PDB file of all heavy atoms in Angstrom:
ATOM      1  N   VAL A 114      -1.277  20.070  11.075  1.00 90.00           N
ATOM      2  CA  VAL A 114      -0.971  20.760  12.264  1.00 90.00           C
ATOM      3  C   VAL A 114      -1.200  22.200  12.348  1.00 90.00           C
ATOM      4  O   VAL A 114      -1.722  22.811  13.277  1.00 90.00           O
ATOM      5  CB  VAL A 114       0.511  20.428  12.777  1.00 90.00           C
ATOM      6  CG1 VAL A 114       0.885  21.236  13.957  1.00 90.00           C
ATOM      7  CG2 VAL A 114       0.667  18.986  12.949  1.00 90.00           C
ATOM      8  N   PHE A 115      -0.762  22.857  11.231  1.00 90.00           N
ATOM      9  CA  PHE A 115      -0.755  24.370  11.247  1.00 90.00           C
ATOM     10  C   PHE A 115      -1.797  25.094  10.429  1.00 90.00           C
ATOM     11  O   PHE A 115      -2.059  26.250  10.621  1.00 90.00           O
ATOM     12  CB  PHE A 115       0.692  24.885  10.844  1.00 90.00           C
ATOM     13  CG  PHE A 115       1.815  24.410  11.732  1.00 90.00           C
ATOM     14  CD1 PHE A 115       2.744  23.477  11.337  1.00 90.00           C
ATOM     15  CD2 PHE A 115       1.918  24.949  13.039  1.00 90.00           C
ATOM     16  CE1 PHE A 115       3.708  23.051  12.200  1.00 90.00           C
ATOM     17  CE2 PHE A 115       2.902  24.590  13.869  1.00 90.00           C
ATOM     18  CZ  PHE A 115       3.790  23.620  13.434  1.00 90.00           C
ATOM     19  N   VAL A 116      -2.314  24.433   9.423  1.00 86.00           N
ATOM     20  CA  VAL A 116      -3.276  25.013   8.512  1.00 86.00           C
ATOM     21  C   VAL A 116      -4.671  24.911   9.114  1.00 86.00           C
ATOM     22  O   VAL A 116      -5.130  23.874   9.448  1.00 86.00           O
ATOM     23  CB  VAL A 116      -3.229  24.477   7.143  1.00 86.00           C
ATOM     24  CG1 VAL A 116      -4.345  25.049   6.206  1.00 86.00           C
ATOM     25  CG2 VAL A 116      -1.851  24.729   6.410  1.00 86.00           C
ATOM     26  N   THR A 117      -5.419  26.033   9.094  1.00 81.00           N
ATOM     27  CA  THR A 117      -6.815  26.002   9.551  1.00 81.00           C
ATOM     28  C   THR A 117      -7.765  26.448   8.456  1.00 81.00           C
ATOM     29  O   THR A 117      -8.977  26.516   8.714  1.00 81.00           O
ATOM     30  CB  THR A 117      -7.006  26.939  10.761  1.00 81.00           C
ATOM     31  OG1 THR A 117      -6.501  28.247  10.448  1.00 81.00           O
ATOM     32  CG2 THR A 117      -6.124  26.437  11.965  1.00 81.00           C
ATOM     33  N   ALA A 118      -7.228  26.801   7.328  1.00 81.00           N
ATOM     34  CA  ALA A 118      -8.109  27.222   6.177  1.00 81.00           C
ATOM     35  C   ALA A 118      -9.010  26.200   5.762  1.00 81.00           C
ATOM     36  O   ALA A 118      -8.915  25.001   6.037  1.00 81.00           O
ATOM     37  CB  ALA A 118      -7.265  27.729   5.039  1.00 81.00           C
ATOM     38  N   THR A 119     -10.123  26.594   5.040  1.00 79.00           N
ATOM     39  CA  THR A 119     -11.183  25.635   4.684  1.00 79.00           C
ATOM     40  C   THR A 119     -10.688  24.611   3.669  1.00 79.00           C
ATOM     41  O   THR A 119     -11.221  23.488   3.613  1.00 79.00           O
ATOM     42  CB  THR A 119     -12.356  26.435   4.093  1.00 79.00           C
ATOM     43  OG1 THR A 119     -11.914  27.211   2.979  1.00 79.00           O
ATOM     44  CG2 THR A 119     -13.106  27.283   5.100  1.00 79.00           C
ATOM     45  N   TRP A 120      -9.604  24.926   2.872  1.00 84.00           N
ATOM     46  CA  TRP A 120      -9.154  24.007   1.944  1.00 84.00           C
ATOM     47  C   TRP A 120      -8.189  23.004   2.537  1.00 84.00           C
ATOM     48  O   TRP A 120      -7.717  22.187   1.735  1.00 84.00           O
ATOM     49  CB  TRP A 120      -8.403  24.769   0.787  1.00 84.00           C
ATOM     50  CG  TRP A 120      -7.470  25.842   1.225  1.00 84.00           C
ATOM     51  CD1 TRP A 120      -7.701  27.184   1.347  1.00 84.00           C
ATOM     52  CD2 TRP A 120      -6.085  25.684   1.654  1.00 84.00           C
ATOM     53  NE1 TRP A 120      -6.671  27.853   1.817  1.00 84.00           N
ATOM     54  CE2 TRP A 120      -5.594  26.943   2.003  1.00 84.00           C
ATOM     55  CE3 TRP A 120      -5.301  24.612   1.779  1.00 84.00           C
ATOM     56  CZ2 TRP A 120      -4.288  27.204   2.515  1.00 84.00           C
ATOM     57  CZ3 TRP A 120      -3.942  24.782   2.288  1.00 84.00           C
ATOM     58  CH2 TRP A 120      -3.536  26.082   2.634  1.00 84.00           C
ATOM     59  N   ARG A 121      -7.959  22.983   3.847  1.00 85.00           N
ATOM     60  CA  ARG A 121      -7.200  22.056   4.458  1.00 85.00           C
ATOM     61  C   ARG A 121      -7.728  20.589   4.218  1.00 85.00           C
ATOM     62  O   ARG A 121      -6.880  19.649   3.917  1.00 85.00           O
ATOM     63  CB  ARG A 121      -7.154  22.232   5.994  1.00 85.00           C
ATOM     64  CG  ARG A 121      -6.705  21.206   6.856  1.00 85.00           C
ATOM     65  CD  ARG A 121      -6.676  21.526   8.365  1.00 85.00           C
ATOM     66  NE  ARG A 121      -6.552  20.367   9.218  1.00 85.00           N
ATOM     67  CZ  ARG A 121      -7.606  19.734   9.606  1.00 85.00           C
ATOM     68  NH1 ARG A 121      -8.863  19.975   9.234  1.00 85.00           N
ATOM     69  NH2 ARG A 121      -7.386  18.641  10.449  1.00 85.00           N
ATOM     70  N   VAL A 122      -8.993  20.386   4.266  1.00 88.00           N
ATOM     71  CA  VAL A 122      -9.647  19.093   3.957  1.00 88.00           C
ATOM     72  C   VAL A 122      -9.220  18.556   2.660  1.00 88.00           C
ATOM     73  O   VAL A 122      -8.823  17.385   2.503  1.00 88.00           O
ATOM     74  CB  VAL A 122     -11.143  19.157   4.181  1.00 88.00           C
ATOM     75  CG1 VAL A 122     -11.844  17.823   3.731  1.00 88.00           C
ATOM     76  CG2 VAL A 122     -11.513  19.440   5.618  1.00 88.00           C
ATOM     77  N   GLU A 123      -9.373  19.371   1.616  1.00 90.00           N
ATOM     78  CA  GLU A 123      -9.147  18.918   0.328  1.00 90.00           C
ATOM     79  C   GLU A 123      -7.628  18.564   0.154  1.00 90.00           C
ATOM     80  O   GLU A 123      -7.253  17.501  -0.494  1.00 90.00           O
ATOM     81  CB  GLU A 123      -9.410  20.076  -0.764  1.00 90.00           C
ATOM     82  CG  GLU A 123     -10.893  20.221  -0.997  1.00 90.00           C
ATOM     83  CD  GLU A 123     -11.594  21.037   0.123  1.00 90.00           C
ATOM     84  OE1 GLU A 123     -10.904  21.472   1.032  1.00 90.00           O
ATOM     85  OE2 GLU A 123     -12.804  21.286  -0.015  1.00 90.00           O
ATOM     86  N   ILE A 124      -6.769  19.341   0.677  1.00 91.00           N
ATOM     87  CA  ILE A 124      -5.315  19.109   0.600  1.00 91.00           C
ATOM     88  C   ILE A 124      -4.994  17.718   1.232  1.00 91.00           C
ATOM     89  O   ILE A 124      -4.239  16.940   0.666  1.00 91.00           O
ATOM     90  CB  ILE A 124      -4.467  20.234   1.303  1.00 91.00           C
ATOM     91  CG1 ILE A 124      -4.615  21.561   0.473  1.00 91.00           C
ATOM     92  CG2 ILE A 124      -3.103  19.830   1.478  1.00 91.00           C
ATOM     93  CD1 ILE A 124      -3.924  21.422  -0.872  1.00 91.00           C
ATOM     94  N   LEU A 125      -5.513  17.589   2.462  1.00 92.00           N
ATOM     95  CA  LEU A 125      -5.259  16.250   3.189  1.00 92.00           C
ATOM     96  C   LEU A 125      -5.763  15.105   2.418  1.00 92.00           C
ATOM     97  O   LEU A 125      -5.077  14.061   2.270  1.00 92.00           O
ATOM     98  CB  LEU A 125      -5.856  16.304   4.535  1.00 92.00           C
ATOM     99  CG  LEU A 125      -5.110  17.324   5.576  1.00 92.00           C
ATOM    100  CD1 LEU A 125      -5.908  17.316   6.855  1.00 92.00           C
ATOM    101  CD2 LEU A 125      -3.590  16.862   5.816  1.00 92.00           C
ATOM    102  N   VAL A 126      -6.977  15.093   2.007  1.00 93.00           N
ATOM    103  CA  VAL A 126      -7.598  13.974   1.349  1.00 93.00           C
ATOM    104  C   VAL A 126      -6.922  13.644  -0.003  1.00 93.00           C
ATOM    105  O   VAL A 126      -6.472  12.521  -0.268  1.00 93.00           O
ATOM    106  CB  VAL A 126      -9.097  14.174   1.027  1.00 93.00           C
ATOM    107  CG1 VAL A 126      -9.746  13.030   0.221  1.00 93.00           C
ATOM    108  CG2 VAL A 126      -9.861  14.269   2.385  1.00 93.00           C
ATOM    109  N   LEU A 127      -6.749  14.704  -0.823  1.00 94.00           N
ATOM    110  CA  LEU A 127      -6.109  14.459  -2.072  1.00 94.00           C
ATOM    111  C   LEU A 127      -4.617  14.054  -1.971  1.00 94.00           C
ATOM    112  O   LEU A 127      -4.113  13.211  -2.674  1.00 94.00           O
ATOM    113  CB  LEU A 127      -6.242  15.727  -2.990  1.00 94.00           C
ATOM    114  CG  LEU A 127      -7.689  16.049  -3.381  1.00 94.00           C
ATOM    115  CD1 LEU A 127      -7.648  17.380  -4.164  1.00 94.00           C
ATOM    116  CD2 LEU A 127      -8.291  14.903  -4.191  1.00 94.00           C
ATOM    117  N   GLY A 128      -3.945  14.678  -0.970  1.00 95.00           N
ATOM    118  CA  GLY A 128      -2.575  14.317  -0.743  1.00 95.00           C
ATOM    119  C   GLY A 128      -2.397  12.863  -0.247  1.00 95.00           C
ATOM    120  O   GLY A 128      -1.515  12.178  -0.805  1.00 95.00           O
ATOM    121  N   LEU A 129      -3.255  12.396   0.644  1.00 95.00           N
ATOM    122  CA  LEU A 129      -3.180  11.063   1.134  1.00 95.00           C
ATOM    123  C   LEU A 129      -3.539  10.078   0.011  1.00 95.00           C
ATOM    124  O   LEU A 129      -3.103   8.990  -0.111  1.00 95.00           O
ATOM    125  CB  LEU A 129      -4.125  10.819   2.324  1.00 95.00           C
ATOM    126  CG  LEU A 129      -3.524  11.454   3.629  1.00 95.00           C
ATOM    127  CD1 LEU A 129      -4.619  11.370   4.729  1.00 95.00           C
ATOM    128  CD2 LEU A 129      -2.240  10.774   4.093  1.00 95.00           C
ATOM    129  N   ALA A 130      -4.544  10.455  -0.723  1.00 94.00           N
ATOM    130  CA  ALA A 130      -5.025   9.580  -1.905  1.00 94.00           C
ATOM    131  C   ALA A 130      -3.816   9.347  -2.874  1.00 94.00           C
ATOM    132  O   ALA A 130      -3.551   8.247  -3.385  1.00 94.00           O
ATOM    133  CB  ALA A 130      -6.171  10.203  -2.632  1.00 94.00           C
ATOM    134  N   PHE A 131      -3.109  10.376  -3.208  1.00 96.00           N
ATOM    135  CA  PHE A 131      -1.912  10.221  -4.015  1.00 96.00           C
ATOM    136  C   PHE A 131      -0.929   9.338  -3.413  1.00 96.00           C
ATOM    137  O   PHE A 131      -0.317   8.436  -4.055  1.00 96.00           O
ATOM    138  CB  PHE A 131      -1.271  11.647  -4.354  1.00 96.00           C
ATOM    139  CG  PHE A 131      -0.044  11.592  -5.172  1.00 96.00           C
ATOM    140  CD1 PHE A 131      -0.142  11.597  -6.497  1.00 96.00           C
ATOM    141  CD2 PHE A 131       1.227  11.532  -4.488  1.00 96.00           C
ATOM    142  CE1 PHE A 131       1.079  11.572  -7.291  1.00 96.00           C
ATOM    143  CE2 PHE A 131       2.358  11.517  -5.282  1.00 96.00           C
ATOM    144  CZ  PHE A 131       2.261  11.487  -6.646  1.00 96.00           C
ATOM    145  N   LEU A 132      -0.610   9.502  -2.203  1.00 96.00           N
ATOM    146  CA  LEU A 132       0.392   8.620  -1.501  1.00 96.00           C
ATOM    147  C   LEU A 132      -0.023   7.258  -1.349  1.00 96.00           C
ATOM    148  O   LEU A 132       0.731   6.348  -1.447  1.00 96.00           O
ATOM    149  CB  LEU A 132       0.740   9.264  -0.225  1.00 96.00           C
ATOM    150  CG  LEU A 132       1.357  10.583  -0.205  1.00 96.00           C
ATOM    151  CD1 LEU A 132       1.709  11.214   1.236  1.00 96.00           C
ATOM    152  CD2 LEU A 132       2.620  10.634  -1.051  1.00 96.00           C
ATOM    153  N   MET A 133      -1.245   7.009  -1.123  1.00 94.00           N
ATOM    154  CA  MET A 133      -1.756   5.560  -1.013  1.00 94.00           C
ATOM    155  C   MET A 133      -1.760   4.913  -2.346  1.00 94.00           C
ATOM    156  O   MET A 133      -1.391   3.733  -2.434  1.00 94.00           O
ATOM    157  CB  MET A 133      -3.219   5.640  -0.473  1.00 94.00           C
ATOM    158  CG  MET A 133      -3.444   6.026   0.944  1.00 94.00           C
ATOM    159  SD  MET A 133      -2.464   4.970   2.212  1.00 94.00           S
ATOM    160  CE  MET A 133      -0.941   5.940   2.370  1.00 94.00           C
ATOM    161  N   GLY A 134      -2.069   5.648  -3.430  1.00 94.00           N
ATOM    162  CA  GLY A 134      -1.872   5.087  -4.743  1.00 94.00           C
ATOM    163  C   GLY A 134      -0.374   4.761  -5.023  1.00 94.00           C
ATOM    164  O   GLY A 134      -0.136   3.732  -5.626  1.00 94.00           O
TER     165      GLY A 134
END
Side-chain angles (χ1 to χ4, degrees):
V114 172
F115 296 110
V116 174
T117 57
T119 55
W120 45 265
R121 164 180 166 272
V122 171
E123 287 80 2
I124 291 295
L125 289 176
V126 173
L127 295 178
L129 285 175
F131 177 86
L132 295 180
M133 292 297 97

